Amino acid sequence: KQWYQRRVRGKSGDTGLTGDEGAQGENGETGVKGPEGDPGGCSTACKTGIASGSKKGCSCDRHLVTLHGGDEVSCPAGWASLWTGYSFFAVANTGAKSQVQDPAKMGSCLEYFQPTPILTCNKNEECSKDFVSDKTIWLATESSDAPDTPLSDLSEIQRYVSRSNVCMGPSRLETKHSWGNEAPSCSPGFNIMWTGFSNLLDWYNDDNNEGHRPGIPITSPATCRETQSPPSFVACDGRAGNCSVVKASNSSTESAVSTSEPVMGRCVVCARASRRSGRRRK
């Protein structure tokens, strides 16, 4: 008779020691290229001036222009207002060179109106308004009821001072003058912002026969006025403490050279067209 021995499984042994780290395997094959991602949005700093819904052609280029006009002036479409204020034009120094602000620059837009925002300071760092004899010149509103006599009440004076707006946008501006009775065309790649009449915006002062005050460069957008009439000014006398509205009948204009009769030259202010791609300029 054959006997079979029954086998019994023993208990599990203890876990063995961790083996040595194996050698690094070979690199796998290059994976398949993934689909193109959605276009990214403009950064917060670049959103101002970008057309609504546009994600391509984002540009961080920013340009400033200051506009003036009446009681209120708005920025062009696609441009953002940085601040509004009063249209400051010049300081007319007696016996010295005048300081003229280009009205297209942000220095011509003061947030607060003061007839004499100037102090006279000596070498001892002592400053005072007591001896200010300079005049400050402000652009005026085109008001038909401007008084012929000087004004001393601040709220009354402010009625006749033009307002301003400093605007920020994505386009560089260019100003062109035709020297003719037709507005010129914009350069290739630029679009019309506005057309107007050429005016140097100088200030004429009759005191002491001092004559014309300096104008501004004809490359400035401020030399292209949408109205043909010459600008008016509010002149504030620092010593007298009053202001007068001055009709600038002697303001210099650029005339057409192709006509026998004096004709005011025409002009155009153009903005560079937006680029349609997000590529950087080389």
Side-chain angles (χ1 to χ4, degrees), residues 158-203:
Q158 287 179 322
R159 288 182 50 200
Y160 301 102
V161 179
S162 175
R163 300 302 195 268
S164 55
N165 198 338
V166 178
C167 306
M168 180 177 69
S171 304
R172 180 171 64 86
L173 302 183
E174 71 167 13
T175 305
K176 298 179 68 176
H177 300 269
S178 67
W179 310 98
N181 54 12
E182 296 291 337
S185 300
C186 291
S187 301
F190 284 77
N191 298 324
I192 293 178
M193 292 280 282
W194 71 83
T195 59
F197 300 87
S198 304
N199 195 301
L200 296 181
L201 287 176
D202 61 346
W203 152 251

Side-chain angles (χ1 to χ4, degrees), residues 87-257:
S87 304
F88 179 64
F89 182 62
V91 176
N93 297 311
T94 302
K97 185 177 180 181
S98 297
Q99 304 296 320
V100 177
Q101 294 289 330
D102 181 346
K105 303 295 185 182
M106 59 184 178
S108 66
C109 187
L110 302 187
E111 295 184 75
Y112 302 97
F113 172 74
Q114 294 185 31
T116 55
I118 303 169
L119 293 175
T120 299
C121 301
N122 59 29
K123 62 181 180 180
N124 297 323
E125 299 184 359
E126 297 172 340
C127 301
S128 173
K129 284 188 176 183
D130 296 340
F131 302 100
V132 174
S133 59
D134 300 332
K135 287 185 177 180
T136 58
I137 313 300
W138 307 75
L139 297 180
T141 61
E142 302 300 327
S143 177
S144 59
D145 64 342
D148 296 326
T149 57
L151 301 170
S152 56
D153 182 80
L154 183 62
S155 60
E156 187 70 13
I157 297 170
Q158 287 179 322
R159 288 182 50 200
Y160 301 102
V161 179
S162 175
R163 300 302 195 268
S164 55
N165 198 338
V166 178
C167 306
M168 180 177 69
S171 304
R172 180 171 64 86
L173 302 183
E174 71 167 13
T175 305
K176 298 179 68 176
H177 300 269
S178 67
W179 310 98
N181 54 12
E182 296 291 337
S185 300
C186 291
S187 301
F190 284 77
N191 298 324
I192 293 178
M193 292 280 282
W194 71 83
T195 59
F197 300 87
S198 304
N199 195 301
L200 296 181
L201 287 176
D202 61 346
W203 152 251
Y204 188 83
N205 180 26
D206 290 329
D207 294 346
N208 302 321
N209 297 318
E210 292 183 49
H212 284 279
R213 299 293 184 180
I216 58 178
I218 62 174
T219 55
S220 168
T223 60
C224 189
R225 286 174 51 83
E226 294 185 76
T227 57
Q228 187 172 7
S229 59
S232 298
F233 298 93
V234 173
C236 296
D237 191 317
R239 183 174 291 276
N242 56 39
C243 302
S244 301
V245 180
V246 180
K247 297 293 183 180
S249 58
N250 292 317
S251 180
S252 297
T253 61
E254 298 168 17
S255 62
V257 297

Side-chain angles (χ1 to χ4, degrees), residues 29-33:
E29 297 180 358
T30 303
V32 179
K33 185 176 180 180

